Structures are given as C-alpha cells and as structure tokens.
Amino acid sequence: MTPTIVRRHFIFPLFSLGALMAASACCLVPGAGTPALPASLSESALPTVTGSATYREWMMPPAGSVLKVVLQDTSRADAAAVDPAEWSAPLDAGGVPKAFTLTPNAPLDARLTYTVRATVLGPDAALLWTTDTVLRVPVGAGANLDMGELVMVKVTPYEPPALPLGGGVWIIESIGGMLVNRARPPTITFGEDGRVSGFGGCNRFNGGYTQKGAKVSFTPVMMTMMACAAANTNQLESALGAALQGDATYVVNGDGLLTLTGANGTEITAMQAPELKLAGTSWTVEGMGGVAVVSGSEPGITFTVDGQINGTTGCNRFFGGYAQDGETVSFTGTGMTKMACMGEGLMAQEAAFGGILSGAAKASVDGLGRLTITGANGAGFVAAPVLTAEAARDPALLHGAEWVVEDINRTGVIDNSRLTLMFGEDGRVNGSTNCNRLSGLYAADGGTITFTPLATTRRACLGEALSGQERKYMSALGGEMAWTITADGALELTGDEGRRVLLRR
C-alpha cells in the first residue's frame, strides 16, 4: 500500500504544475510580450568583468596617454582574437592604478576561453605598458567577475639594428624626387668620427651627426656659397641642405639603396660608392695640403696591378711598392731620382709629395672621382684620374656642368668674355656666345658629335671685337666634329678646315 500512496503523491504535483502552466498560457493578454527572465538568470548570462590596472614604475606617462582594457575571445589559436568588451580612460589626471568595468555585448559561452589584457598607449598610439601574462576570465563563476589588480610591465621601444651608414661615400641619385647630374653627382659621407661631409653638385658641405638605429640627427651642416651655373643645381643644393638639418630617418633596402628622409619630409636616395681599387689606375695631383701645386709640373702617380707605384714629383721620377686593404694603403721602399729641381716651388712640392708616400695612408674617392690620399703624417693630396683612351670618349662625360670656352681655333678668347656650352642628357645643347644665347640639338658617340644648325638670340654685342668673336665661335661649332677629353680634363672639339674649340669646366 505504501508504494502506491507515494506514487500518487509524486504524480499529483507534476499534474498540478502542468495545469497551472496551461492555465497561465491560456490567460496571456495579446501584445503583452514574453515575461522577463528571473533577475538571477539574466545576471548570470551577462556578467561584468571588473578589476584595476597599474604598473610599478613611479612615473607619469606622456600627456595624452590612455589606459585600455580589453576582454578578448581567444578560443581559436589560428584566428585573431575577438573583443566582446572594451574599456578605456585617459591618464592625464590621476594616473594609475585605475579601476575598470567591462560589460560584454553578448552572453559569455562557458565552452570558450576569454582573457583580459591591459595596455597603456601613448599619444602617438605607441605601446608603453602592457600585461605580459595570460589572464583568463573564470566564466560561470558568478555574475560579477573580479580580476583583481592587473600589473603591466614597461615596454622597451624597438630599435632597429644599426644600418651601414658610416665608413664610405654615398653617391646621391635623387633629391626630393628630382634626379641629379650623373656626370658630377652629389655625394654624402658619414664618417666614423661623427662628421658628415659631401659635395652638393657645385658646393661642398660638412657638419656633424649622431646615429641611433634608423634615426640620424644632424648638427648644423654648413655649405659653401659658390654660385652654380648648371641648370637646377642651386635648387637641388638648397633641398639637400634643408634635408640635412635636425632629425632624419633612413632605411637601406636589399639592393643597397639608401633612402634618407629629412625632418622636412624631403627624401634623398643614394647608393654606396663601389669599393676603391687602386690597381691599374693613374692620377694627376690637383692639390696638396701645406704647399701649392706648381702649374705645368703637377705630380702624378700610377698604381700597377703587380703592387708597384711609379710617377713624377713634378721634377724627379719615383718608384716603390704598395699594398691596399680597403681604405688603407701602405707604401714601402719609395725611392726617386736625384735631379736638382730649379723651378720655383718644385723642391717644396717634391718634399711634401714624397712625405705622403711613406708608411700607412688612407685613400678615398669622392663623387667627382677624385682620389684623396692622406699620409701617416697627416698631410695629403687630391688627384684627378687620368682617363684611358676608351674612358675619355664616354658620351656621359659631356653631360652636366657647363663647359667654358678656353680657346677658338688656337687663337684664344677675349679677356673677361665668357662663352659656354652645356650638353643635356635629352640631346639638347645650349650655351652663350657672351652676347647671345645659343641652342640646338646634338648626338654623340664614342668619338664623334654632330650638331644640328644652332640658333641664337638677336642681341647686339657691345663692341666689334665681341661681335667678331661671336661669329668665329658659331662658325667653329656645327655639323660633325670629333671630340675627346684631354689628359688634363679639357673637352676638345675639332672639325674640318681647322675648326677647334677647347673648353673646360
């Protein structure tokens, strides 16, 4: 009997509950909506995540910094985290610690993994502090999930490795998007002693610099003030000088191209000059520290491929040996003939030049292709290359800076007059007769240059002598002419009927 009674008691409440639910359903008022869930069930589905965030350093972040706390869904290792909730607050007033409350925008799923991350971002959005451990949220532990105190660690700013700026000459290819003169390209050298120097295309510059990672800071860089005749050279030099002020950034790509971006946004691109190889080269000295070079008796030096040097001091012949290791050149066994030097200044020139060719010296080549040798005693010389016959006929040598006429048909030119030619890479030629401007087209190969008929403006010359010189100059130019670069760097143009024009830069 007892089991029957228990069973009846058990069935009756279920039936009663069903009846009540049916009665409730039948009595809903249309439009009244679904009854709200119990308060406890709603809070369990949409918990809040609270806590505070701080860091241990006794310092204020930069003005404009923000503390940011994010609730993240990190369930899938192969996908980006999803952020169900985010909270942020400025740190200009109060600093840390600072309490936070995260309210998810959807119920949390107990089958998923949620974490909390706190960061401090600077005014430029740079990461300054961050939590460095996984802080997992205990889903289902209650309506309010307290994460306690989150301690952030200071982030060390990333500094790219130092890039190879120092120890060589960079040949500039463009400045502010403008291509430079390839015949006389600007250069920039970052010395290992913290000095920066170079050639702007017309003037020279120098100053100081410091390097840290991909940042280079220039101390005042000064440039000489010589007027530049070549087209747009002044504009390029001005842009170069402005870019080499204050802080700049740079990058060297996989092809070795340097892109230097100045504080004013101007970009300079450059390639490092090829490694200096002296073997098989010859040079004529243009200048020497401490003494004047005697015109017409300039020293010259040849480096042979078998490790020997020979040449002239301007008076006596010399000979010896050398060994090159990068920028270091070691001279050994240098000797010379003993002829007396009678010309003024020749003995001082010979003594100074011979002193440089002893022991270890430093060698470098600038953007103009000039060699600088600095001896162990600190004295040095600058020398221009002696071109081979083949190199002296490269049409690229015509381009760039203005050529100034020195002689017409071996009769000279009038003192204080200025006649010029400039050959563009686009096949155009222009210049001056001293009275008028001339212009036309040209084509050049390895030994011949052909001019189209050259046109001039119509301004009258101030004097019959200048008019006659203009006529002689225009008659000497034109048609097909042979051209060459002489051993001393002059441009010689020769044509039929004895036509000859000699020009120098």
Side-chain angles (χ1 to χ4, degrees):
M1 294 297 293
T2 302
T4 303
I5 295 172
V6 171
R7 185 173 299 165
R8 286 175 181 172
H9 280 290
F10 178 72
I11 293 173
F12 177 75
L14 290 176
F15 172 79
S16 300
L17 179 60
L20 288 172
M21 291 179 65
S24 173
C26 75
C27 298
L28 288 175
V29 178
T34 305
L37 293 173
S40 60
L41 180 58
S42 176
E43 291 171 359
S44 177
L46 295 174
T48 57
V49 180
T50 60
S52 65
T54 189
Y55 51 76
R56 300 193 185 284
E57 288 77 12
W58 287 84
M59 61 186 297
M60 287 293 295
S65 296
V66 174
L67 170 63
K68 182 178 179 181
V69 183
V70 178
L71 174 66
Q72 297 180 314
D73 174 0
T74 54
S75 301
R76 292 175 294 175
D78 59 346
V82 178
D83 300 340
E86 181 178 307
W87 174 95
S88 63
L91 294 179
D92 287 348
V96 295
K98 193 171 288 290
F100 64 85
T101 299
L102 294 165
T103 303
N105 53 19
L108 302 184
D109 189 334
R111 297 170 298 175
L112 304 180
T113 300
Y114 299 93
T115 59
V116 171
R117 183 188 182 202
T119 58
V120 173
L121 303 178
D124 56 353
L127 184 62
L128 304 180
W129 281 270
T130 183
T131 48
D132 62 347
T133 57
V134 176
L135 303 171
R136 187 166 179 173
V137 178
V139 179
N144 295 311
L145 306 175
D146 186 3
M147 301 298 296
E149 185 177 66
L150 312 184
V151 180
M152 299 174 287
V153 297
K154 196 173 190 306
V155 175
T156 302
Y158 171 71
E159 290 289 349
L163 301 176
L165 280 184
V169 177
W170 293 88
I171 299 176
I172 296 174
E173 297 187 344
S174 70
I175 302 171
M178 296 181 290
L179 296 178
V180 303
N181 179 355
R182 292 184 180 274
R184 289 168 58 89
T187 65
I188 184 168
T189 300
F190 295 90
E192 296 179 356
D193 59 355
R195 302 296 298 171
V196 61
S197 61
F199 171 70
C202 175
N203 287 279
R204 301 204 68 81
F205 62 87
N206 63 79
Y209 79 99
T210 57
Q211 176 188 341
K212 185 177 181 181
K215 177 181 176 182
V216 56
S217 300
F218 295 100
T219 59
V221 174
M222 308 299 292
M223 188 175 291
T224 57
M225 302 296 289
M226 184 174 66
C228 308
N232 86 336
T233 299
N234 280 322
Q235 181 183 2
L236 286 168
E237 285 196 337
S238 178
L240 174 62
L244 302 182
Q245 303 295 331
D247 295 336
T249 59
Y250 68 93
V251 63
V252 178
N253 69 15
D255 295 326
L257 179 71
L258 166 69
T259 299
L260 177 71
T261 304
N264 63 354
T266 298
E267 284 192 353
I268 298 169
T269 62
M271 291 292 292
Q272 197 154 31
E275 181 183 357
L276 171 62
K277 294 182 179 180
L278 293 174
T281 64
S282 297
W283 308 83
T284 299
V285 175
E286 294 184 330
M288 192 155 42
V291 298
V293 173
V294 179
S295 179
S297 299
E298 295 87 352
I301 183 170
T302 294
F303 296 86
T304 67
V305 294
D306 60 353
Q308 300 297 305
I309 58 169
N310 62 74
T312 176
T313 67
C315 174
N316 282 285
R317 302 293 302 176
F318 68 87
F319 50 87
Y322 80 97
Q324 181 184 0
D325 182 10
E327 296 182 346
T328 300
V329 181
S330 300
F331 296 103
T332 57
T334 303
M336 65 180 65
T337 58
K338 299 295 184 180
M339 184 175 67
C341 305
M342 305 303 295
E344 183 178 354
L346 285 179
M347 291 189 67
Q349 174 179 285
E350 181 172 271
F353 186 60
I356 298 169
L357 304 181
S358 177
K362 289 290 185 182
S364 64
V365 173
D366 65 16
L368 301 178
R370 296 179 304 184
L371 171 68
T372 296
I373 296 282
T374 304
N377 61 358
F381 64 80
V382 177
V386 177
L387 299 177
T388 64
E390 180 179 355
R393 294 181 179 272
D394 182 356
L397 296 174
L398 297 172
H399 305 154
E402 201 170 45
W403 294 93
V404 180
V405 177
E406 185 175 278
D407 178 77
I408 305 172
N409 299 339
R410 302 185 187 279
T411 60
V413 294
I414 296 173
D415 289 347
N416 299 321
S417 64
R418 182 179 173 84
L419 303 95
T420 64
L421 275 184
M422 180 179 287
F423 299 92
E425 295 184 31
D426 58 357
R428 297 183 181 275
V429 61
N430 58 71
S432 171
T433 68
N434 189 78
C435 305
N436 288 282
R437 299 297 301 172
L438 66 86
S439 61
L441 301 175
Y442 79 97
D445 58 23
T448 302
I449 184 168
T450 303
F451 295 96
T452 63
L454 301 176
T456 66
T457 55
R458 300 287 185 172
R459 183 179 177 183
C461 295
L462 300 177
E464 181 57 34
L466 291 176
S467 294
Q469 179 175 265
E470 181 180 70
R471 290 192 295 271
K472 183 169 64 173
Y473 182 38
M474 294 303 295
S475 297
L477 290 176
E480 184 177 294
M481 304 183 75
W483 73 273
T484 188
I485 304 296
T486 65
D488 59 354
L491 168 62
E492 184 180 45
L493 302 174
T494 55
D496 55 5
E497 300 179 354
R499 293 183 296 143
R500 176 181 182 267
V501 181
L502 188 69
L503 310 95
R504 293 184 188 277
R505 282 180 166 152

